[in-house]
Amino acid sequence: MRPLIDHLRRFADRTAVLTETTELTYGQLADRVEACAPTLGERRALVLLEVDNDVDTLTHYLAALAAGHVVLPMPAGGDTATLTATYRPDIVVDRTGVRHVDTGGHVLHPDLMLLMSTSGSTGSPKLVRLSRTNVAANARAIADYLGIVETDRAATTLPMSYCYGLSVVHSHLLVGAALILTDRSVSEQQFWDLFVAHRGTTFAGVPYTFELLDRVGFSHMKLPHLRYVTQAGGPMPSERVRRYAALGERRGWELFVMYGATEATARMAYLPPHLAQSHPQAIGVAVPGASLTIEPLDGWPDDESGELVFRGPNVMMGYAEHIEDLADGPTLQELRTGDVARRCGPGLFEIVGRTSRFAKIFGLRIDLQRLERTLAGHGVTALCTDAGERLVVVAEGPHSPADVRRVVADAAKVPVGAVDAVAVPELPRLPSGKPDYPRARTLVTPRPEGDDDLADMFADVLHLDPSDITDDATFVDLGGNSLTYVTMSVRLERMLGHLPADWPRLPIRDLRHRPAPRQRWWRSWGSTVETSVALRALAIVLVVASHAGLFEMWGGAHILLGIAGYNFARFCLTPLPRRRRVRHLGSTIGWIALPAVAWVAVALVVTDDYHASNLLLANKFLGPHDSMTAGRLWFVEVLVWTLAALALLLWLPLADRAERRFPFAFAAVFLAGGMVLRYDLPGFGLGRDAWFTMLAFWFFAAGWAAAKASTSLQRLAVTVVLIVGVHGYFGNTVRELLVTVGLVLLIWLPAVRCPAVVAVAAGAIAEASLYIYLTHFQVYPLFGSHKLYGVIASIVIGIALSAVITQIRHRWRDRRLTKQNRARVPALR
């Protein structure tokens, strides 16, 4: 026990672990490990450890190693039945605590330290046996070539049950560096808040991680302490390697592209950062203390290529497939990787193919033959192969592609969106009768199938061609805006049973398989409604009821203006390129302005409420100013012209770059400008009518700043400005309190729980809020003194009109798609 604990105590007061709530020094970590070790028993045992990236997991892992046990890490909540039945662990450590099992003990080789799953996600009991020498040698090599120092702080972006993620733990604890423990994804703002707060210097990623980084605008983030980023877990496209290497060069950090396998304890090769742009396809050079060679391979057409063979102290002891194998000593001196490689530069190697039937998807090594056997067990004869980061399945016979995809995804433990499937009358084969896998890849269209697929819902809500929806697309990417957002959020809640806070920027693939949050007893009833949706529904009801005279509770329109700014920041100011952002903003303006102008045109025919200036949504500019009815649409005018002005501003490259680099500060400038006009500091003397002019823009700016606030301090600053600004604004305490409470809730409360029927009603009202606002002025007067009926009718008619417009859009889309399909027929023939 002593050597590991003594190693931890060497670093004494240095920071060892950081989380959202905890900070431990090495001395404190050593105390926890020493206290925990006795709970695992004195007899050397096999410990199955269900891991989260948290302090408890790290403590139990180190305690098991310190006590000399053999550890088998597994993902928390995963299926461990096969492994438990095969290896009969003596001790199980999970979220419920430590559980001792009476197995009679096992014969464990003295050098055996760690068992890691090698089949990735296919549920195979085949494990990699790793010794203390393997782990220590690889940790030293990684710390050496990465240049890890005591001041480094690494965020755990990968699970500790994965050899890549565990190698981050080993290499940093070896040199006295710190770990930022978190299970959060790089797609979540909370991850970056934690990373910046704890002065993170590095994080690790598989290829999919870098796709997420592209989506969250990583290139514009301010990460002042970032020193280097590592990538492994499968090949990354050369273009992306070059781009991130160049980004690191500009921003002062380095990109390390690496190559490895569980059988080598983690890392076998790395690409020196200065070669990433000139040799982005390379896996690099062997890690310190090891070597790579290329050995001839029969049947491979390229004489310069061969099987890549690795030699070094981190080559595994061997595989285990049965409990008796745990007693065996080392059986390998070298690792034949199964990868076909060639030299591509000074001491560099490049992977050009595979000799075996494995694929790497999301950093998981997947046995394709095992997947074929699994399908056969379901009565499906099929060929399984891969295409980049996707599995490709061709099934023979009248099988449902959707059912095939689900079986494969379940067996491989990957998202359904990562599997493409097709059913054919006969499997493609070579003249020799062997399966023709290259041909199989060409038979599958990379489009998820199934009537219940989220992609179909996105196409339906956004009025898009279903064939244009990919699993990589997000709501924002597809042109979603504040109007379609309500419909989508309500339908997602029904389908998923939960609503991730960051769903508008999550790809469909992640939404489909994002786990539901752990439920608390007080959350176990009703449905979740996003606060912006609930406030939108409440505000429009207050607007209609106050105008109809059912009661007076003014301020709903100003809450709606704040919500509009909040949604503008979320759905228009996205990481998309400048032209697409402005185009998206123009589309949003059209969704608001066109229905408003159309309704004004109808009202001009049947009433005398409006004037020609209302057709331009410019009554506040052009008058008449003495009309009792022409100014009713002030809210729509303020919103449309505000969005139009911002679209013109953001078209300027300088403004676009400034907003991307300093999103909160950019919004805060506009909020400050709004406050200057709100208090009339220039002395314009606009008077109380400014409530209903473009000067009300500051409510919009407050919502905008709230959405871009990424820290509690920033949210607090917006809250203070809001409270100060609203005080005395209306000269009515109730109205000011209503607006303040509503917008403060928007800032601090992401969602609310309510009975399902209330959630459905709120969603329907919020979705139709624009149409309710436009039409209610002409509806409630029809009911005279029956004010309650007038309010109800206004809401019902607005909802009905919204449904009619939606159906019209659907039919227009279907007609457009039909014409496109007809146009394609001659070309296909």
Side-chain angles (χ1 to χ4, degrees):
M1 182 186 299
R2 295 310 317 175
L4 176 56
I5 294 177
D6 289 344
H7 171 80
L8 296 176
R9 294 200 188 282
R10 278 179 51 204
F11 303 106
D13 296 329
R14 291 209 60 79
T15 300
V17 177
L18 298 152
T19 71
E20 292 183 2
T21 58
T22 305
E23 180 172 339
L24 297 178
T25 65
Y26 270 87
Q28 292 169 328
L29 179 61
D31 291 341
R32 292 195 178 205
V33 171
E34 191 166 17
C36 178
T39 67
L40 302 176
E42 296 182 359
R43 187 184 67 184
R44 191 161 185 253
L46 174 60
V47 179
L48 190 151
L49 175 64
E50 293 195 359
V51 304
D52 289 300
N53 288 345
D54 58 22
V55 174
D56 283 344
T57 293
L58 180 64
T59 301
H60 280 96
Y61 175 66
L62 296 176
L65 297 184
H69 299 306
V70 176
V71 183
L72 170 53
M74 290 296 294
D79 183 6
T80 62
T82 301
L83 288 171
T84 301
T86 303
Y87 293 100
R88 304 197 312 274
D90 305 290
I91 302 171
V92 176
V93 182
D94 56 21
R95 290 170 178 166
T96 64
V98 178
R99 186 169 70 255
H100 291 263
V101 182
D102 185 10
T103 65
H106 301 311
V107 180
L108 304 171
H109 191 276
D111 293 336
L112 184 61
M113 170 183 169
L114 197 59
L115 296 169
M116 299 293 290
S117 174
T118 179
S119 62
S121 59
T122 54
S124 168
K126 187 176 184 180
L127 300 174
V128 167
R129 297 183 293 120
L130 299 175
S131 68
R132 291 179 178 83
T133 300
N134 294 152
V135 173
N138 204 231
R140 278 194 297 271
I142 294 170
D144 185 2
Y145 72 75
L146 290 179
I148 302 175
V149 295
E150 289 184 347
T151 54
D152 276 323
R153 296 184 170 191
T156 53
T157 47
L158 302 168
M160 284 193 274
S161 56
Y162 176 29
C163 69
Y164 185 11
L166 195 55
S167 72
V168 174
V169 174
H170 291 156
S171 56
H172 283 75
L173 293 183
L174 178 69
V175 301
L179 297 169
I180 303 173
L181 295 181
T182 177
D183 278 316
R184 294 192 180 277
S185 165
V186 296
S187 65
E188 298 178 76
Q189 182 60 46
Q190 293 93 328
F191 172 87
W192 297 109
D193 292 342
L194 184 68
F195 191 81
V196 171
H198 289 321
R199 304 192 302 279
T201 63
T202 180
F203 63 90
V206 296
Y208 181 56
T209 306
F210 289 81
E211 292 183 26
L212 294 177
L213 293 179
D214 283 345
R215 296 192 186 110
V216 299
F218 173 76
S219 61
H220 301 288
M221 291 182 183
K222 292 186 65 176
L223 305 172
H225 303 285
L226 181 62
R227 200 166 70 81
Y228 66 91
V229 176
T230 64
Q231 182 269 316
M236 193 158 73
S238 295
E239 176 276 330
R240 186 168 282 147
V241 172
R242 284 196 184 97
R243 180 156 51 83
Y244 273 89
L247 174 64
E249 190 174 292
R250 293 195 305 272
R251 304 297 290 272
W253 51 264
E254 295 180 311
L255 174 68
F256 284 85
V257 175
M258 308 187 300
Y259 166 77
T262 310
E263 290 86 343
T265 319
R267 303 277 70 78
M268 289 186 281
Y270 72 99
L271 182 63
H274 69 277
L275 298 176
Q277 293 190 63
S278 58
H279 295 83
Q281 79 286 2
I283 61 169
V285 299
V287 300
S291 65
L292 288 167
T293 58
I294 295 176
E295 301 196 0
L297 192 63
D298 293 340
W300 195 262
D302 183 1
D303 293 337
E304 296 180 354
S305 303
E307 184 173 12
L308 189 66
V309 178
F310 176 80
R311 296 176 180 86
N314 49 305
V315 171
M316 67 176 177
M317 298 174 68
Y319 290 114
E321 297 189 67
H322 307 283
I323 195 170
E324 294 77 14
D325 297 333
L326 305 186
D328 292 345
T331 60
L332 295 174
Q333 300 300 317
E334 62 184 26
L335 180 64
R336 305 189 72 86
T337 64
D339 285 323
V340 181
R342 66 187 176 199
R343 294 185 181 275
C344 63
L348 303 180
F349 295 85
E350 173 189 3
I351 304 298
V352 295
R354 289 286 299 165
T355 63
S356 59
R357 296 276 291 123
F358 284 89
K360 266 203 171 179
I361 309 292
F362 302 114
L364 300 173
R365 191 168 179 233
I366 297 173
D367 185 339
L368 298 173
Q369 289 181 330
R370 184 177 179 85
L371 292 182
E372 291 178 357
R373 290 196 299 270
T374 300
L375 285 169
H378 286 78
V380 180
T381 302
L383 301 182
C384 295
T385 184
D386 66 306
E389 282 281 295
R390 305 180 73 81
L391 290 173
V392 173
V393 185
V394 178
E396 187 175 78
H399 299 288
S400 164
D403 292 339
V404 171
R405 291 174 63 233
R406 292 190 187 97
V407 170
V408 171
D410 184 63
K413 298 297 185 295
V414 299
V416 174
V419 183
D420 297 324
V422 68
V424 297
E426 188 175 352
L427 294 179
R429 297 190 181 276
L430 298 169
S432 62
K434 294 181 179 181
D436 187 350
Y437 287 102
R439 172 64 179 155
R441 288 190 184 94
T442 68
L443 298 177
V444 178
T445 301
R447 163 78 174 96
E449 308 215 15
D451 294 336
D452 61 342
D453 199 286
L454 277 172
D456 295 327
M457 180 193 294
F458 272 68
D460 186 53
V461 173
L462 299 175
H463 314 296
L464 297 173
D465 184 343
S467 65
D468 292 336
I469 310 292
T470 68
D471 258 22
D472 293 327
T474 70
F475 175 77
V476 170
D477 293 340
L478 295 170
N481 55 40
S482 59
L483 300 174
T484 52
Y485 159 77
V486 177
T487 307
M488 184 63 74
S489 65
V490 171
R491 292 183 63 174
L492 275 177
E493 164 74 16
R494 294 175 190 166
M495 177 176 283
L496 301 181
H498 65 287
L499 199 59
D502 54 348
W503 72 263
R505 295 193 182 184
L506 288 178
I508 294 173
R509 170 176 52 240
D510 286 6
L511 283 173
R512 185 180 292 112
H513 295 279
R514 190 177 180 92
R518 298 177 192 170
Q519 293 293 315
R520 308 297 183 191
W521 66 269
W522 49 272
R523 289 183 175 176
S524 59
W525 63 282
S527 298
T528 300
V529 179
E530 291 200 28
T531 302
S532 64
V533 174
L535 286 174
R536 197 158 147 182
L538 176 62
I540 194 62
V541 170
L542 294 179
V543 167
V544 174
S546 297
H547 283 155
L550 180 63
F551 54 76
E552 286 195 0
M553 192 168 288
W554 303 102
H558 291 81
I559 293 177
L560 288 174
L561 202 54
I563 295 172
Y566 187 80
N567 287 333
F568 162 75
R570 297 172 73 194
F571 306 128
C572 297
L573 300 183
T574 64
L576 294 174
R578 177 172 59 92
R579 293 177 183 273
R580 286 186 63 188
R581 288 215 310 188
V582 175
R583 207 161 42 236
H584 187 177
L585 185 49
S587 174
T588 300
I589 294 171
W591 276 72
I592 300 170
L594 293 179
V597 171
W599 181 253
V600 169
V602 171
L604 280 172
V605 174
V606 298
T607 74
D608 58 358
D609 289 345
Y610 299 127
H611 297 263
S613 62
N614 290 116
L615 282 172
L616 301 175
L617 300 181
N619 171 259
K620 287 299 179 183
F621 301 132
L622 304 178
H625 302 293
D626 57 351
S627 170
M628 295 295 293
T629 57
R632 288 172 169 175
L633 300 181
W634 72 269
F635 168 78
V636 176
E637 292 185 10
V638 169
L639 183 55
V640 168
W641 289 106
T642 294
L643 293 177
L646 290 172
L648 290 174
L649 175 66
L650 293 171
W651 177 256
L652 301 176
L654 181 62
D656 179 76
R657 286 195 298 270
E659 193 285 325
R660 291 176 190 273
R661 188 168 183 182
F662 308 105
F664 177 74
F666 194 84
V669 167
F670 282 88
L671 178 56
M675 294 299 290
V676 167
L677 295 177
R678 178 258 182 271
Y679 286 104
D680 195 19
L681 296 183
F684 293 148
L686 297 175
R688 304 300 291 177
D689 288 340
W691 290 351
F692 305 105
T693 70
M694 297 302 294
L695 300 187
F697 160 78
W698 78 269
F699 287 95
F700 180 96
W704 176 4
K708 290 300 182 181
S710 58
T711 67
S712 296
L713 186 60
Q714 290 174 346
R715 284 188 284 272
L716 180 61
V718 176
T719 303
V720 170
V721 171
L722 177 68
I723 293 173
V724 171
V726 173
H727 179 67
Y729 186 81
F730 300 109
N732 182 302
T733 302
V734 174
R735 185 174 188 177
E736 290 169 3
L737 185 62
L738 175 68
V739 174
T740 301
V741 170
L743 294 182
V744 167
L745 288 175
L746 183 69
I747 295 171
W748 292 100
L749 185 65
V752 295
R753 299 288 296 181
C754 60
V757 64
V758 175
V760 172
I765 294 171
E767 180 182 355
S769 57
L770 174 64
Y771 298 97
I772 295 172
Y773 186 89
L774 291 174
T775 60
H776 80 282
F777 294 109
Q778 284 73 47
V779 174
Y780 71 76
L782 301 177
F783 291 83
S785 61
H786 300 287
K787 297 177 181 179
L788 177 61
Y789 296 145
V791 171
I792 294 174
S794 296
I795 294 172
V796 170
I797 289 175
I799 293 174
L801 182 58
S802 175
V804 169
I805 297 298
T806 298
Q807 288 302 314
I808 292 173
R809 284 183 173 135
H810 278 310
R811 292 187 180 183
W812 177 82
R813 180 200 65 174
D814 293 342
R815 185 174 300 176
R816 174 172 54 85
L817 295 180
T818 301
K819 290 181 178 178
Q820 290 176 354
N821 291 334
R822 287 174 180 169
R824 292 182 185 132
V825 171
L828 291 174
R829 288 176 180 171

